[in-house]
Amino acid sequence: MQQMSDLTSDVRYHFHRHSMVDEAIYDAAEANSNEVALHANRIYGILASPEPVKALEEYYEVAPNRFLKIFAGLTFLTKEFGDKKLKDGSSRFLSALDKLKKEINLEIIRRQQLNYHLSFLTVIAVAPVLFVKPIEDWAKSSFPIMTEFYSSKLGFIMKLVIFLVILLGYILVKKLQETNEGKYVAKLKRFKWEKRLYEFAPIRFIVDRLLPPENKKPKLIKLLKESNSPLPLEWFYIHRIVLSVVMFIVLLSSFIYMHSFSAHNTLYAPTKTDVIFGELNEFEKEKAIQATDLDRKIILQMKGVKENLSDRIRLAIQKEIPDADEKYLDSTLVRIMNKHLLFENEYLKWWEFLIALLIGILSYHIPVIVLAFQSKLRRMDMQNEVEQLHSIISMLSEIERISVETILEWMERFSTIFKEPLQKCLLNYDAGPVEALEQLKEDAPFTSFVRTVERLEVSVMQIPVNEAFEDLETDRAFNFEQRKQDYEKVIDSKKEWGRNIGFAPLYALVFLYLVLPLVYMSFTQMTSYYDKITNL
């Protein structure tokens, strides 16, 4: 983009010398040896091609950014229809080139500021994933009671939360850093799995029953169009249903796995000791493992036993350790009873099923929220494309006997976000220009674009094209200043959000996986000590 800013200056200089746009581009390309010179050479080839329109359309498919697209379109129009002096005596082509350079410089400043504020946040957001295991190992070796936490259901949930926070933080920071154009452009897939599902009668019956009533359909359809989603309403509801079912199954499976995980730890995890700080010595480790083996053997023997459980466990302990004294028998009995209750209680609860069901129901509304979020983010891209279309229209409107249909063809050729609605409009144009333009406003209900279409509509019915767009420059100047302010607000907002989101995984790792568990386990241990002291 910086190279292109220099290229526009070179083209301006050589255009003053030759007054021929193709020669100006050729000389500017020869004067440069960077990447943008390759594009300048290709644009020169388009102007010299026997089929320039076809060559221009092919270039639009591979142009890396919107500025090269508009540059190629402006040079083609100038080559095709010639330059013209405006009312103030300036060149139409050079005036458009100056506006293009302002747009490029504005985008360069925006990207530099975003890069300055957000460049290292991706690394900061992902880095905590490398420290989960070391922190866990250090906590286990320094605070043995933490072993119990990390092997519990709560520890598993905390670890899952940490990884989810890291993943979500990475995705959101990458979204904040995005500067690619057309990232919300609708793309149809070759394999339409939604269509296959909708062909099944039971699924079609469910989808048709979940569709909103006729009075609420237009609002949702408008949201789909504003977010440029290629999905029909029925397919969108299939997405909602699938996400809801998947979230329900994943959460239910997680609950089942947690119970299995906890039951396994109850049987095989080393029996906890009263040591808070420091690592267990070899004798203590061996003693803890022997206690665990004894507990597991007796618990498995008592599996399913309900009556006289305490007496039967005591007899089993005496059978395994015949010379055990009463104090040892009592403490071992209490420990095994607690473990047995935990083991027998590890099954899927009704309220866990209810939580999974509620989360599944809430997930049903996530696609609508995503559509609204994409629609909001996409408005800046849509405004940029409208400004590009205005640049093309300002060139075309100065050409004598230009028609609205020709302008629509150029808009469709140049557009990315509004390409599909414009294609539909052109197909329907011969059947009725006014009706086709009215449908275009419904298919692309973006305010700035609708105002542009309304001017085209007036040109069809009443006044020439150049009169309909004679105040375009005033609107462009206002919109440019408005966008500068919007960019500043967006950058400040992204900077704050980026810092909060980028450091969130690190904060979550330290507080949720180390500090809070240590405080919780220490408090639990102190409570146990207090109970023992009061019972002395």
Side-chain angles (χ1 to χ4, degrees), residues 193 197-198 202-211 233-249 360-361 363-365 367:
W193 60 269
L197 285 177
Y198 192 65
I203 294 178
R204 185 167 60 251
F205 176 82
I206 295 172
V207 172
D208 292 343
R209 296 301 178 276
L210 291 174
L211 288 175
L233 190 59
E234 292 79 7
W235 295 8
F236 175 68
Y237 267 77
I238 288 179
H239 276 226
R240 298 181 69 179
I241 294 170
V242 169
L243 179 62
S244 179
V245 172
V246 168
M247 288 297 294
F248 169 73
I249 293 174
I361 293 172
S363 302
Y364 179 76
H365 300 282

Side-chain angles (χ1 to χ4, degrees), residues 493-506:
S493 177
K494 283 189 174 183
K495 179 176 67 175
E496 294 300 322
W497 277 100
R499 288 177 180 174
N500 293 334
I501 295 171
F503 282 94
L506 183 61

Side-chain angles (χ1 to χ4, degrees), residues 317-524:
I317 298 171
Q318 289 176 339
K319 183 178 179 182
E320 294 293 331
I321 309 176
D323 56 346
D325 56 24
E326 286 298 320
K327 184 177 180 181
Y328 179 82
L329 279 174
D330 292 338
S331 61
T332 305
L333 175 62
V334 171
R335 185 182 72 237
I336 295 177
M337 283 287 293
N338 291 333
K339 282 189 176 183
H340 183 272
L341 292 175
L342 288 174
F343 180 77
E344 291 291 327
N345 199 41
E346 293 300 337
Y347 58 89
L348 186 67
K349 313 296 191 303
W350 67 269
W351 52 268
E352 292 174 336
F353 181 86
L354 184 61
I355 290 175
L357 184 62
L358 289 175
I359 295 297
I361 293 172
L362 291 175
S363 302
Y364 179 76
H365 300 282
I366 289 178
V368 178
I369 298 172
V370 171
L371 278 185
F373 182 68
Q374 286 185 339
S375 176
K376 184 177 180 180
L377 290 180
R378 193 168 162 268
R379 287 183 180 274
M380 186 66 74
D381 288 340
M382 295 171 78
Q383 184 62 44
N384 286 338
E385 183 157 305
V386 170
E387 294 299 324
Q388 298 164 31
L389 296 177
H390 284 173
S391 299
I392 296 295
I393 293 172
S394 65
M395 295 283 290
L396 292 170
S397 61
E398 296 293 336
I399 300 171
E400 297 180 359
R401 297 183 301 277
I402 192 72
S403 67
V404 172
E405 186 174 9
T406 303
I407 292 177
L408 287 171
E409 289 173 355
W410 270 93
M411 290 171 65
E412 184 273 332
R413 189 178 298 132
F414 184 76
S415 179
T416 302
I417 296 176
F418 301 109
K419 193 176 189 69
E420 186 178 346
L422 285 166
Q423 287 175 341
K424 183 178 178 181
C425 177
L426 286 169
L427 290 173
N428 299 331
Y429 193 85
D430 292 336
V434 177
E435 291 78 5
L437 291 171
E438 287 290 337
Q439 184 62 43
L440 177 59
K441 290 191 291 185
E442 294 181 10
D443 292 339
F446 183 62
T447 304
S448 298
F449 185 74
V450 168
R451 289 173 182 170
T452 303
V453 176
E454 287 174 348
R455 296 185 183 192
L456 293 173
E457 198 172 3
V458 172
S459 301
V460 171
M461 298 184 294
Q462 298 175 358
I463 61 177
V465 173
N466 60 342
E467 294 183 16
F469 290 95
E470 63 183 359
D471 63 336
L472 191 62
E473 292 305 315
T474 304
D475 292 344
R476 279 173 55 84
F478 171 78
N479 289 335
F480 184 79
E481 294 298 324
Q482 184 68 42
R483 285 166 60 207
K484 285 176 64 177
Q485 294 182 8
D486 291 340
Y487 278 152
E488 291 175 1
K489 293 178 183 177
V490 168
I491 289 170
D492 290 340
S493 177
K494 283 189 174 183
K495 179 176 67 175
E496 294 300 322
W497 277 100
R499 288 177 180 174
N500 293 334
I501 295 171
F503 282 94
L506 183 61
Y507 297 150
L509 177 64
V510 173
F511 287 99
L512 296 182
Y513 207 60
L514 180 61
V515 176
L516 292 181
L518 182 59
V519 171
Y520 170 74
M521 294 304 296
S522 299
F523 180 78
T524 303

Side-chain angles (χ1 to χ4, degrees), residues 6 21 33 79 85 112 164 248 273 371 380 405 421 520:
D6 297 333
V21 66
S33 59
K79 172 69 174 177
K85 294 292 183 181
Q112 286 176 341
L164 288 176
F248 169 73
T273 64
L371 278 185
M380 186 66 74
E405 186 174 9
Y520 170 74

